Structure formats: C-alpha cells, structure tokens
Amino acid sequence: QVQLVESGGGSVQAGGSLRLSCAASGSTVYSNYMGWFRQAPGKEREGVAAIDTFGRTTYYADSVKGRFTVSRDNANNTLYLQMNSLKPEDTAMYYCASQSWVPSARALDGTLYKYWGQGTQVTVSS
C-alpha cells in the first residue's frame, strides 16, 4: 500500500509559478509510475503530467507542455510538479497518484492509477 501527501498549492497571479510536491510512503513506492491530475469544479479530471519509475520518461498534457515540468526524487520518495507561466485555466485541485505500472500510451489516464493523495488547491488569478 502507498500513502501520498501533496503540498505546495496556493494562489498566484497569471504568469507566476508554483512548485507542487508529493511525498510518498509505503511499500514499493520507488517502483511506481507517478502522475499529477487536476480537477476544477464542474470539469472532468484531467491528466497533467506523469513520470516513469526512474524518471527517465515524462508525459504531459498538450495544455501544459512547455510550462510544466514533472520530476521525481526516488531517494526521498518525492514527486514534483514545477508550474511556470500559470494561466487562470490552470486553476484546479491537483492530485498526486501512483501505480506500479501503466502503459506509456495511457500514462495520463487516471483510471489506471490505484493510489491517490488528498489534493492541493492551485488558484491562478488574472
């Protein structure tokens, strides 16, 4: 079993930056794919970014490419999401998730992830 705790959310003006963190604990967390997902009120959950077990391959939604960077520090069991050039449409609750393995073509499909954190709110104002 895996436990995930997100942090780093907050309020920022458009064009600003935030860095989200996800602290993982439990069995075999170092072996898991990990991803960031977000959901705004009245909107469907959206896969934002994901990273494979060793941080060698990353995946991004088209809407965040060039602005967001996902990384992981396996030694400290921590996942990060660096968010730059934030836009109001990035406003959402951001969730960290993990799974032992997912197909590369579906790395941003939240239905494949088993473990989820409680989320951290990101609000971007105009």
Side-chain angles (χ1 to χ4, degrees), residues 51-106:
I51 191 165
D52 70 1
T53 301
F54 297 105
R56 294 168 181 167
T57 305
T58 56
Y59 311 85
Y60 297 97
D62 288 342
S63 60
V64 307
K65 285 181 179 178
R67 300 188 298 120
F68 291 9
T69 303
V70 63
S71 61
R72 67 190 298 165
D73 181 353
N74 286 350
N76 293 301
N77 296 323
T78 305
L79 177 74
Y80 301 98
L81 184 66
Q82 178 66 47
M83 305 186 294
N84 298 325
S85 301
L86 283 162
K87 304 175 180 179
E89 50 262 47
D90 295 318
T91 295
M93 184 73 75
Y94 283 71
Y95 299 91
C96 170
S98 71
Q99 177 62 291
S100 59
W101 178 85
V102 298
S104 295
R106 299 178 65 188

Side-chain angles (χ1 to χ4, degrees), residues 110-125:
T111 66
L112 300 182
Y113 287 76
K114 182 176 182 179
Y115 302 102
W116 293 82
Q118 295 299 308
T120 185
Q121 178 68 38
V122 171
T123 302
V124 184
S125 60

Side-chain angles (χ1 to χ4, degrees), residues 10-18 86 122-126:
S11 298
V12 64
Q13 292 189 337
S17 298
L18 286 172
L86 283 162
V122 171
T123 302
V124 184
S125 60
S126 300

